Amino acid sequence: MKVAMSKKNLSQALQAYVRDVPDFPKPGIMFRDISPLLRDHFGETITEMGRLFSTQEWSDIDLIGGIESRGFILAAGLAAVHHKGFVKIRKKGKLPGPVAMRHYGLEYGEDALEMQYGSGRMLIIDDVLATGGTLAAAAELARESGHTVCGFACLIDLIYLNHFSWQGFVPRTLIQYEA
């Protein structure tokens, strides 16, 4: 059963649906599982993420780039609601070429992202901002593949792990964790 959320404490209400999973995917990592939030309050989550940007800012965006995999969910929802195109930013080897590729560091390892070439003004979306390595790689990748980055949004910001900005853009977030 869905519970109506008041605007007053919306961030706290959303955060209540994020489940903490200790030692996943590796020991020492506190995984923030957004599955309950998406299951019970997907529409509200997309609406509130959309409100992170003004009407004017939305008019200056052509495309929403979603970072694999949970960023796909949020980005696709935002793209549908705001009538924008959707671009997949995937892990290495998951897209047919030609693609641009960028290696990056994670909170718990290394990986690579790929994106197909194109053009347009892009907002980059991910579920969690930890160290900022994934967002930085996605932004560089977007630029290398022909897009112009217009901003970032993440559902969750682990502010104790980062002070991320890229070329003057600071990600906008709904939920912040201080520890």
Side-chain angles (χ1 to χ4, degrees):
M1 173 191 222
K2 291 188 178 185
V3 177
M5 287 193 246
S6 70
K7 298 286 181 204
K8 182 180 176 187
N9 292 313
L10 186 58
S11 179
Q12 288 177 337
L14 291 172
Q15 188 170 347
Y17 286 87
V18 177
R19 186 172 67 110
D20 292 346
V21 182
D23 298 320
F24 182 83
K26 292 184 176 185
I29 302 295
M30 177 63 74
F31 184 77
R32 308 296 179 170
D33 181 14
I34 65 171
S35 299
L37 175 63
L38 298 178
R39 180 188 60 238
D40 296 335
H41 293 288
F42 183 69
E44 295 96 326
T45 301
I46 295 302
T47 297
E48 293 310 310
M49 286 194 74
R51 289 183 179 154
L52 294 172
F53 297 90
S54 70
T55 302
Q56 179 59 51
E57 289 170 316
W58 277 112
S59 70
D60 292 339
I61 295 167
D62 303 314
L63 305 165
I64 311 295
I67 300 173
E68 187 170 339
S69 70
R70 292 173 302 270
F72 285 177
I73 300 163
L74 301 169
L78 286 165
V81 167
H82 292 279
H83 309 287
K84 306 298 179 183
F86 171 69
V87 175
K88 295 176 289 189
I89 304 170
R90 298 220 54 192
K91 293 185 178 174
K92 184 179 177 181
K94 303 283 186 172
L95 289 172
V99 296
M101 183 179 66
R102 173 66 68 150
H103 289 275
Y104 66 101
L106 294 164
E107 180 184 2
Y108 48 83
E110 282 191 16
D111 213 338
L113 292 175
E114 293 181 338
M115 181 186 297
Q116 293 173 326
Y117 291 92
S119 64
R121 298 167 298 185
M122 181 181 288
L123 174 63
I124 298 175
I125 305 293
D126 206 0
D127 63 326
V128 177
L129 169 59
T131 63
T134 306
L135 281 184
E140 291 297 330
L141 187 57
R143 188 173 63 186
E144 289 169 17
S145 64
H147 301 88
T148 302
V149 176
C150 295
F152 303 97
C154 296
L155 177 61
I156 295 171
D157 184 357
L158 306 178
I159 59 177
Y160 58 94
L161 293 176
N162 74 81
H163 298 288
F164 179 78
S165 71
W166 183 84
Q167 295 193 358
F169 293 109
V170 175
R172 299 179 194 184
T173 60
L174 286 183
I175 300 168
Q176 295 82 33
Y177 287 90
E178 294 185 22

